[in-house]
Amino acid sequence: MLQHFFNPSSVAVVGASQNPSKIGYKILNNIVQYDYGGSVYPINPKAQEILGLKAYPDLTSVPSKIDLAVIALPAPAVMDVLKQCGKKGIDSIIVISAGFKETGPEGARLEEELAIQAKELGIRVVGPNCLGILDTKSPLNASFAAGMPLAGHISFFSQSGAMCVAILDWALGENVGFSRFVSVGNKMDISETEVMLSMGEDENTRVILGYLESIEDGPRFMNAAREVSQTKPIIIIKSGTTDAGAKAASSHTGALAGSDHAYRAAFKQSGIIRAESMRSLFSYAMAFASQPLPKGPSLAIITNAGGPGILAADACDRSSLHLTPIRKETADRLREFLPRTASVYNPIDIIGDATLERYEKTLDVVLKDEMLHAVLILFAPTAAVDSEAVAMSIVSLARDADKPIITAFMGEKGVRGARKIFQDHNIPTYDYPDDAISALDAMLSYRRWLEKPARQYQRFEADTARVRQVFASVIKQHRHDLIESEAREILEAYGFRLPANRIARTTNEAVSAASEIGYPVVMKIASPDILHKSDMGGVRVGVADEAMLEEAFFDITSKIQVRQPEARILGVMVQEMIPQGREVILGITRDIQFGPMIMFGLGGIYVEVLKDVAFRIAPLSVESADAMIREIRSFPLLRGVRGEAPADIKGIRDALLRLSQMAVDFPEIIEADVNPLLVCPEGQGAVAVDARITIQE
Ligand code: ADP
Ligand code: MG
């Protein structure tokens, strides 16, 4: 896949220059300087020879076949070169040139024309507006980056050339080996999705890193990531996490959803590990590239200092790793050589006067205990021991270890040499224990992703014809918001449980409705103009008898007449009261990139303040539905506290899956809320007592 980009037999540089300050020189120089083995053709009508290579006036004058053309000419000249590529039978090109979409409408037009032409000629394009491509195996440095990393197993794709440069510089500074670098630029043709797939196929790549600003085709990206993440970890840093595009939305779900929720959900659902900062991108990359995945969550910490051990233990507490108590056999073995003041529990504190031997023996014992799945070694410089000697011994013990070993040697001057040793021998090393813990945590969650059973989807019977009918009538009336009774119909068509409900225009009608339904009842104003009924005094719960009912009827209608006189009133709803229901909110929104998105949260009036909600991209698998329910902070409230009966989690899951199916079946639903879904005690299901649905033609 994309072979001519990474492993071409011949490369032409169009716009190659003799002037070392020009990009066209730098690219050619990188190709030559970093030992590219194939044929290289500088293209420049004014030169005979560049960097000792024969130059050609144009592509068509080159006598042999060309696999890859790298173009570094001003934007307006690129089209002509593209046509030459077509004539010459070149199928892969990298357009380094800027001056396209990123500059405004004129550039966007140029880019569009270029895209159409390339497609017609069957030419694949990386860029424009990019830094180029590096492949350390070929080796090929078809970029204007300063330097070439060591050959290794990490690959990186990036939407920003500057990020490529930064990662490259880090790789050079820390001797981290890379397989491929791809700067995708404006992604006119080849996008991150295809690049990711090609890295998935590249046998030298073991870890894929990416920097993303936006995604073109969300579902396709998710499918690709799901596939690739089965064999290789994908670690992505996504910028634009704060939600600038927060729009005025009429539903709670709309107000709570931001595009970052969509990315977060999409990453979770396709096994992508998200790095929250450059620092964690680096630290995850180091750990994933050099260490085996932990087989389980048990972490052992070895330290020669109490404080850092406690810090690490705290960080561990915030992660999904467990600081498992050391079992007796292992503790006994440790006691054989550790001083009495040492702690053989976890963190294993081999105390301030720890010697090389003590580090060595302790690590050896810990590595042999298969109940411990990962080791973090902390070190604070002391006079008792030479940090470099400790590092060397860790390196040699790590050679045969089948569990991840990571290190945090704290300080600077006293540990510089040790850190260098770790870098040279592929042992991840961090300045602080927290970074080490989060890297291990990321490895554990990737391990769990790999162990996940195949996703299961459940389909429900639904009366889609009825839904279509309701939507058609709403659109015909030039509305977008469904009124209560319409929303009820939709939910009913999808098999939601609804409370019994009658609309009463008079107190007499209300009385007979209530006696049919049975007291106590709930009364609510029925009006197409009122969004939040209780805000207007339009809801009364626990109406126990006829007298209360008459009073409530009068009270509700008169309050509405005062507070919102222009509101059309259809009557008052008399509704079955659901006892002991815990309120949750479910919703649908649409994300530009990923499509329908499902929200779940604890309901009630504080939902927008607490923002304790979880999102997933539809269609939801059964596991995703379960995971999003458990993900919210207030999940313990649903399980029940202080003797409360647990809520019916299955009922929530069922409702989420039905909603997801509805969102996928009907793209015209742009926003919907079920708020609240009242969740009854375990085994008794959940009831949708209020819903809002907004559609678009
Ligand atoms: P709105 O959101 O427009 O103010 P709701 O229909 O959601 O109106 O009702 C407000 C609150 O009243 C709900 O959040 C819930 O606490 C309670 N409630 C509404 N309907 C019922 C019902 N059928 N059974 C029990 N409680 C209800
Ligand atoms: Mg409500």
Side-chain angles (χ1 to χ4, degrees):
M1 200 180 179
L2 307 179
Q3 270 315 310
H4 282 171
F5 285 98
F6 301 110
N7 193 16
S9 320
S10 50
V11 183
V13 179
V14 187
S17 165
Q18 285 163 318
N19 178 350
S21 68
K22 289 272 169 68
I23 286 182
Y25 173 91
K26 288 181 180 149
I27 295 168
L28 187 67
N29 190 41
N30 272 349
I31 294 176
V32 175
Q33 176 183 185
Y34 296 113
D35 302 329
Y36 173 61
S39 322
V40 187
Y41 306 106
I43 309 294
N44 182 334
K46 290 184 208 129
Q48 299 299 316
E49 193 191 286
I50 307 174
L51 285 164
L53 296 163
K54 177 176 165 41
Y56 294 85
D58 51 40
L59 284 167
T60 43
S61 353
V62 176
S64 340
K65 189 174 173 296
I66 298 169
D67 282 348
L68 174 69
V70 187
I71 304 173
L73 288 177
V78 175
M79 183 57 115
D80 199 45
V81 178
L82 180 72
K83 288 177 181 159
Q84 279 185 43
C85 289
K87 283 205 193 100
K88 181 75 189 146
I90 301 171
D91 62 6
S92 305
I93 68 173
I94 303 173
V95 182
I96 303 285
S97 327
F100 289 93
K101 194 170 73 186
E102 79 285 1
T103 56
E106 180 58 21
R109 200 183 49 77
L110 265 184
E111 189 169 322
E112 213 165 291
E113 286 168 7
L114 204 64
I116 293 168
Q117 184 66 165
K119 196 160 214 172
E120 247 169 48
L121 296 170
I123 298 176
R124 302 307 315 269
V125 184
V126 165
N129 184 29
C130 74
L131 185 83
I133 286 180
L134 287 84
D135 184 306
T136 58
K137 179 80 190 310
S138 281
L140 170 69
N141 186 336
S143 80
F144 61 95
M148 179 80 161
L150 297 175
H153 303 294
I154 302 175
S155 282
F156 179 61
F157 66 85
S158 172
Q159 214 171 330
S160 143
M163 292 300 268
C164 276
V165 173
I167 298 267
L168 191 62
D169 194 55
W170 169 73
L172 294 172
E174 310 252 315
N175 286 338
V176 180
F178 271 76
S179 174
R180 289 176 177 173
F181 265 84
V182 180
S183 160
V184 293
N186 291 4
K187 309 191 278 190
M188 178 190 100
D189 171 32
I190 294 172
S191 70
E192 59 286 329
T193 302
E194 234 175 310
V195 171
M196 190 166 68
L197 285 169
S198 76
M199 288 172 172
E201 283 179 3
D202 170 30
E203 54 186 34
N204 296 307
T205 299
R206 284 191 210 143
V207 179
I208 300 171
L209 306 185
Y211 167 80
L212 272 185
E213 283 164 7
S214 63
I215 289 175
E216 269 25 82
D217 180 344
R220 214 181 127 229
F221 174 81
M222 283 178 76
N223 281 334
R226 268 182 191 145
E227 188 187 313
V228 173
S229 66
Q230 291 308 315
T231 51
K232 297 175 190 184
I234 306 168
I235 307 166
I236 289 185
I237 180 161
K238 161 79 182 66
S239 67
T241 52
T242 44
D243 199 32
K247 54 191 162 74
S250 58
S251 70
H252 294 282
T253 310
L256 288 161
S259 71
D260 195 53
H261 281 297
Y263 278 99
R264 227 166 255 287
F267 285 10
K268 267 181 211 152
Q269 288 169 273
S270 41
I272 293 173
I273 300 140
R274 184 169 187 162
E276 300 292 344
S277 62
M278 283 300 278
R279 183 164 145 174
S280 41
L281 187 74
F282 293 146
S283 59
Y284 294 179
M286 279 204 294
F288 275 96
S290 65
Q291 297 298 302
L293 294 174
K295 294 199 178 82
S298 290
L299 170 71
I301 299 174
I302 302 172
T303 179
N304 68 343
I310 295 169
L311 281 180
D314 286 347
C316 186
D317 209 41
R318 291 188 296 269
S319 76
S320 41
L321 297 158
H322 303 327
L323 205 54
T324 326
I326 304 294
R327 60 177 163 158
K328 191 173 173 302
E329 297 92 311
T330 304
D332 287 347
R333 216 161 291 148
L334 289 170
R335 269 197 208 93
E336 281 170 20
F337 59 85
L338 288 179
R340 293 164 70 74
T341 44
S343 161
V344 294
Y345 300 100
N346 210 354
I348 302 167
D349 187 349
I350 59 174
I351 62 178
D353 62 351
T355 54
L356 171 62
E357 195 200 2
R358 226 183 267 168
Y359 261 106
E360 230 161 28
K361 283 186 166 167
T362 307
L363 178 57
D364 187 49
V365 169
V366 165
L367 285 176
K368 285 186 178 131
D369 183 343
E370 74 279 7
M371 305 287 272
L372 300 168
H373 305 123
V375 192
L376 167 61
I377 304 165
L378 303 178
F379 179 93
T382 69
V385 65
D386 170 18
S387 67
E388 294 184 24
V390 174
M392 281 313 298
S393 84
I394 292 173
V395 165
S396 77
L397 280 167
R399 218 156 271 150
D400 308 312
D402 59 349
K403 55 184 84 165
I405 298 177
I406 56 175
T407 60
F409 274 38
M410 281 157 294
E412 191 52 53
K413 192 160 161 279
V415 295
R416 218 174 272 153
R419 283 184 187 156
K420 179 81 176 57
I421 290 169
F422 288 134
Q423 277 163 15
D424 293 345
H425 293 88
N426 274 323
I427 302 284
T429 190
Y430 303 93
D431 296 356
Y432 307 103
D434 332 30
D435 290 339
I437 297 277
S438 31
L440 264 181
D441 195 24
M443 290 177 91
L444 179 62
S445 73
Y446 179 60
R447 166 101 199 183
R448 290 189 167 150
W449 166 258
L450 291 179
E451 286 168 347
K452 260 201 180 114
R455 291 186 308 278
Q456 298 207 21
Y457 294 91
Q458 198 174 337
R459 266 203 84 82
F460 302 91
E461 232 172 86
D463 186 351
T464 49
R466 188 167 160 207
V467 176
R468 228 168 281 128
Q469 221 168 37
V470 173
F471 286 171
S473 111
V474 172
I475 294 295
K476 211 163 149 204
Q477 295 167 46
H478 305 289
R479 283 189 290 128
H480 295 289
D481 293 320
L482 273 64
I483 59 170
E484 187 106 22
S485 58
E486 292 163 338
R488 274 179 68 91
E489 256 194 276
I490 307 299
L491 293 185
E492 210 166 65
Y494 270 85
F496 279 82
R497 233 179 96 193
L498 301 169
N501 187 65
R502 307 265 183 285
I503 290 190
R505 277 161 304 175
T506 61
T507 40
N508 277 344
E509 281 181 18
V511 169
S512 65
S515 58
E516 257 178 70
I517 290 167
Y519 288 100
V521 292
V522 177
M523 296 175 74
K524 304 180 188 178
I525 191 71
S527 161
D529 303 315
I530 296 173
L531 283 186
H532 300 295
K533 299 176 287 294
S534 23
D535 292 355
M536 290 287 148
V539 176
R540 191 74 83 78
V541 296
V543 177
D545 54 36
E546 210 173 305
M548 265 176 93
L549 180 121
E550 279 171 8
E551 182 273 322
F553 190 99
F554 176 74
D555 182 55
I556 287 174
T557 45
S558 54
K559 268 193 187 128
I560 299 296
Q561 271 154 10
V562 173
R563 292 180 187 171
Q564 202 168 323
E566 79 289 1
R568 287 164 291 171
I569 294 175
L570 306 176
V572 174
M573 286 183 272
V574 179
Q575 195 168 82
E576 171 191 355
M577 172 136 167
I578 309 301
Q580 287 184 288
R582 257 162 281 181
E583 304 203 9
V584 298
I585 175 172
L586 321 181
I588 301 174
T589 53
R590 261 170 218 277
D591 182 78
I592 306 168
Q593 261 104 19
F594 293 99
M597 196 158 70
I598 305 298
M599 184 187 83
F600 170 72
L602 212 61
I605 53 177
Y606 299 124
V607 58
E608 282 182 37
V609 181
L610 298 174
K611 297 192 166 68
D612 187 15
V613 287
F615 286 89
R616 291 291 186 280
I617 311 292
L620 284 184
S621 64
V622 176
E623 299 74 28
S624 288
D626 276 334
M628 70 192 292
I629 297 170
R630 280 171 175 76
E631 185 177 299
I632 62 165
R633 288 190 305 275
S634 13
F635 176 66
L637 297 181
L638 293 174
R639 228 173 7 201
V641 287
R642 307 204 168 197
E644 260 177 335
D648 196 63
I649 308 288
K650 275 214 193 88
I652 306 176
R653 177 173 92 186
D654 185 80
L656 281 169
L657 293 174
R658 285 175 196 275
L659 198 71
S660 156
Q661 185 176 328
M662 186 169 121
V664 173
D665 289 351
F666 289 96
E668 53 265 69
I669 302 177
I670 51 167
E671 260 176 39
D673 268 346
V674 175
N675 185 26
L677 177 81
L678 289 179
V679 190
C680 302
E682 204 163 21
Q684 295 171 39
V687 189
V689 301
D690 185 28
R692 288 183 40 68
I693 297 175
T694 306
I695 58 171
Q696 213 170 45
E697 278 152 276

